[in-house]
């Protein structure tokens, strides 16, 4: 069975601080796909990134970066120079399907960025 | 390009009633998945439909069912509603081919009283 754990329930930072959201996963599959989604108050989940299990390259996209470490089954997400607009719930998810059509989600981390 | 559309956005039902929620996927997307989000259980996968067939199912009782039409639009039905069915129900669509991602709708907020 697959499992995703986000140990940080809530994080509060001041604008311009860097913040890292942790994600640890469990799966027996040798090929799997990891995702991060952002859920603003409007409710819809916004896709941020997908990472394949066979590609351990870290990725940077603007202020966002992701650190995938297969050895520790972790896929952490860092926001650099956080902004108030980054306030949302962030979910890490796992799927055996490359299209992410059947996702196992973590509990989510509520990030609040204060001005 | 229109996103995933879920209707209605809000719904209030009484215990014992049944409810039908609708999801229109992004044009060209053939896979539709449904998720239930509650404060206690988080986001849980309900089922996935692909080409009008249920392809995967989560661990939910038989009161939860769904279907998909030839135009890929999907409906989910919950019969004999219980208070615990109060949740945000999210629909996601994807191409279901190759490396892509699921796009989510804004959800239907169901309240059972």
């Amino acid at each position: 069975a697959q499992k995703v754990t986000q140990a940080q329930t809530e994080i509060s930072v001041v604008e311009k601080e860097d913040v890292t959201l942790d994600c640890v996963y469990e799966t027996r599959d040798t090929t799997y796909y990891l995702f991060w989604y952002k859920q603003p108050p409007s409710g819809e989940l916004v896709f941020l990134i997908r990472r394949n299990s066979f590609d351990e390259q870290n990725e940077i996209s603007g202020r966002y970066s992701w650190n995938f470490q297969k050895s520790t089954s972790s896929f952490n997400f860092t926001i650099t120079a956080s902004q108030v607009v980054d306030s949302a719930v962030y979910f890490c998810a796992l799927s055996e399907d490359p299209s992410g059509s059947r996702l196992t989600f973590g509990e989510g981390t509520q990030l609040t960025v204060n001005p | 390009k229109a996103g995933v559309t879920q209707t209605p956005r809000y719904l209030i039902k009484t215990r014992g009633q049944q409810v039908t929620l609708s999801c229109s996927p992004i044009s060209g997307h053939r896979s539709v998945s449904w998720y239930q989000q509650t404060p206690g259980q988080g986001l849980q996968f309900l089922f996935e439909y692909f080409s009008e067939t249920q392809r995967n199912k989560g661990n939910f009782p038989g009161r939860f069912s769904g279907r998909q039409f030839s135009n890929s639009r999907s409906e989910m039905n919950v019969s004999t509603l219980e208070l615990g069915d109060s949740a945000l129900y999210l629909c996601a669509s994807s191409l279901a081919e190759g490396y892509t991602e699921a796009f989510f709708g804004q959800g239907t907020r169901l309240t059972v009283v």
Side-chain angles (χ1 to χ4, degrees):
Chain A
Q2 299 181 332
K3 185 178 179 182
V4 177
T5 302
Q6 295 177 255
Q8 304 150 308
T9 305
E10 294 181 26
I11 299 177
S12 181
V13 299
V14 176
E15 210 171 13
K16 297 184 183 176
E17 278 187 40
D18 298 347
V19 58
T20 295
L21 310 182
D22 297 333
C23 172
V24 174
Y25 62 91
E26 296 174 31
T27 180
R28 294 180 194 167
D29 296 320
T30 54
T31 300
Y32 51 89
Y33 305 86
L34 294 161
F35 300 78
W36 275 94
Y37 280 88
K38 173 182 179 180
Q39 187 177 42
S42 58
E44 69 187 282
L45 291 166
V46 178
F47 168 80
L48 295 177
I49 191 172
R50 177 189 61 249
R51 174 60 68 215
N52 311 325
S53 57
F54 44 87
D55 179 5
E56 288 193 67
Q57 257 194 330
N58 291 326
E59 184 158 339
I60 298 174
S61 176
R63 297 184 297 107
Y64 295 169
S65 62
W66 290 269
N67 183 354
F68 175 36
Q69 291 198 334
K70 213 166 174 178
S71 60
T72 56
S73 298
S74 65
F75 186 42
N76 298 335
F77 172 32
T78 297
I79 302 174
T80 303
S82 59
Q83 300 176 1
V84 174
V85 293
D86 295 328
S87 297
V89 181
Y90 291 86
F91 289 94
C92 179
L94 172 66
S95 176
E96 60 188 27
D97 186 327
S99 71
S101 59
R102 182 165 54 117
L103 294 161
T104 298
F105 284 93
E107 304 89 339
T109 297
Q110 170 71 61
L111 174 65
T112 302
V113 182
N114 299 296
Chain B
K1 191 175 185 180
V4 178
T5 303
Q6 291 189 245
T7 56
R9 289 292 311 279
Y10 301 92
L11 207 49
I12 300 176
K13 288 287 188 180
T14 304
R15 262 184 308 177
Q17 287 186 313
Q18 75 164 18
V19 67
T20 299
L21 313 181
S22 178
C23 172
S24 293
I26 292 172
S27 177
H29 285 193
R30 296 162 63 196
S31 168
V32 173
S33 297
W34 289 89
Y35 294 84
Q36 181 196 64
Q37 186 176 21
T38 60
Q41 300 298 317
L43 271 159
Q44 293 185 288
F45 170 75
L46 278 157
F47 30 65
E48 179 206 3
Y49 285 86
F50 177 76
S51 293
E52 302 179 62
T53 302
Q54 187 179 89
R55 189 159 73 166
N56 291 295
K57 189 177 191 305
N59 189 25
F60 278 81
R63 299 186 298 106
F64 292 82
S65 63
R67 58 178 175 169
Q68 186 180 33
F69 302 94
S70 58
N71 61 358
S72 293
R73 189 178 71 86
S74 177
E75 290 181 345
M76 71 162 277
N77 184 77
V78 188
S79 62
T80 319
L81 283 165
E82 301 176 359
L83 294 179
D85 296 332
S86 295
L88 179 66
Y89 290 89
L90 290 163
C91 164
S93 77
S94 72
L95 285 170
E97 294 167 329
Y99 298 132
T100 180
E101 63 270 6
F103 293 85
F104 283 79
Q106 288 189 299
T108 294
R109 172 76 62 185
L110 171 66
T111 302
V112 182
V113 297

